[in-house]
Amino acid sequence: MATTAPSATPNDLLGVTKTLDLLAPRWSVWVLMTVSSQPLRYAEFKPRLPWLADGQLHPRLRHLTNAGVIERTEYAPRHVTYGLTSRGAALLPVLSVIASWGDTYLEKELGANKHTGELDPERIAPAQNIDDAVALLAPRHATPILFSLQARGTATAKTLATEAMPGYGLTAVYKPLERLVADGLVTASGTGGYQLTASGRALAPVFQAISAWATAPAPEPDGSRTRGPGAAPSQNCSGPWATTPTRLPAPAVPAAPPVRPALTTTPPGGPAWQPGDLFSHQIPARPISPAGDPRR
């Protein structure tokens, strides 16, 4: 049984858990991806996120604005747009890494291919893969336990309780461990210890990407934009909701809406998401089982 000390630093773990908390509220990922190509006015979100009930969008925008990944810009009292800050744009490649893990390791339903008649895995949109993956990682104590097992390979419940849940008794570690086992990320070793499954081990690049984003220096505010007289500078950082508006001259209305680039085209700062990448389904996601169970 490996007994080496964990290699992850406290800053790595703290950055990952805080970022997962940022993404965890439902629909937050959808809102981020919706503004990945261009800033939008409040009313323009509804056609793109039609399943959001009235009153759900405003709290998500507030949450993401205060976190510094979305910027609220006020051109006039009733002309406000929401767009990514440079910090938010830097998060898009991280979302791609999470989506790739979900696409590879989360179970999928099988359906008949309309062209060949054969059973093929259903297509899961990147937004759904990210949301499902975050739902597995965000619960309290899940990430510290996974970090510890990634460093050790195999560890007993007592070791995990000491490293991942300091201040808690030994019995407190069993509930999060049971959840991680049920989610297919951890398995019992058979010798009284626990270790990561293949899907759990494959989370290493996900945690690395999140940690790199979380610990990167905050970008300097963009001072290149023209602002109206007396306008406060636009900040790419968190701040109270009531003080975030920035008054700018209203932009010209385009003759036609811009064409969004294909998903395979990567603009500076991250991918541009297709409208089809934003949808939800009600089937709970689980990593693919060793037996090859196709359920998602």
Side-chain angles (χ1 to χ4, degrees):
M1 181 181 297
T3 57
T4 57
S7 58
T9 68
N11 284 341
D12 290 331
L13 180 56
L14 181 62
V16 170
T17 53
K18 283 189 172 182
T19 304
L20 291 172
D21 288 342
L22 162 67
L23 299 174
R26 196 178 189 195
W27 310 127
S28 296
V29 170
W30 271 259
V31 173
L32 275 172
M33 293 171 64
T34 300
V35 296
S36 64
S37 294
Q38 65 186 77
L40 298 173
R41 299 180 70 169
Y42 192 93
E44 294 175 313
F45 281 90
K46 190 63 176 177
R48 293 167 171 82
L49 302 172
W51 55 85
L52 274 182
D54 291 341
Q56 288 186 315
L57 176 59
H58 189 275
R60 274 68 181 175
L61 288 171
R62 181 199 300 262
H63 166 72
L64 296 169
T65 300
N66 288 340
V69 292
I70 280 184
E71 182 177 43
R72 181 181 188 271
T73 303
E74 183 177 328
Y75 297 94
R78 295 190 178 182
H79 188 168
V80 176
T81 63
Y82 299 87
L84 292 182
T85 64
S86 53
R87 184 76 170 148
L91 183 58
L92 296 181
V94 179
L95 297 183
S96 292
V97 175
I98 302 173
S100 178
W101 180 88
D103 190 54
T104 303
Y105 291 100
L106 293 180
E107 296 173 351
K108 301 175 177 65
E109 292 280 1
L110 295 179
N113 187 307
K114 64 181 181 180
H115 300 293
T116 66
E118 298 178 354
L119 292 179
D120 292 335
E122 64 173 329
R123 178 187 178 272
I124 303 296
Q128 186 66 56
N129 278 320
I130 297 166
D131 212 36
D132 290 342
V134 170
L136 299 180
L137 303 176
R140 194 177 186 188
H141 307 305
T143 295
I145 290 173
L146 294 172
F147 261 58
S148 185
L149 287 174
Q150 281 189 343
R152 290 186 171 275
T154 303
T156 64
K158 182 178 179 180
T159 298
L160 293 172
T162 301
E163 290 183 355
M165 301 175 61
Y168 289 81
L170 172 61
T171 57
V173 77
Y174 288 106
K175 185 173 182 179
L177 270 174
E178 289 171 1
R179 182 178 61 241
L180 290 169
V181 170
D183 288 339
L185 300 175
V186 172
T187 184
S189 66
T191 58
Y194 294 86
Q195 61 190 24
L196 297 176
T197 62
S199 55
R201 292 191 298 272
L203 283 168
V206 172
F207 288 149
Q208 290 169 0
I210 296 175
S211 178
W213 177 84
T215 57
E220 293 294 328
D222 182 6
S224 62
R225 302 193 307 180
T226 303
R227 301 180 179 88
S234 172
Q235 299 292 330
N236 289 336
C237 59
S238 61
W241 179 257
T243 62
T244 53
T246 300
R247 293 185 179 274
L248 303 179
V253 177
V259 178
R260 301 184 70 173
L263 184 60
T264 54
T265 302
T266 304
W273 307 96
Q274 295 277 23
D277 296 329
L278 306 174
F279 71 91
S280 176
H281 62 81
Q282 300 301 318
I283 304 172
R286 293 290 183 271
I288 298 172
S289 66
D293 186 349
R295 293 175 302 158
R296 183 185 179 93

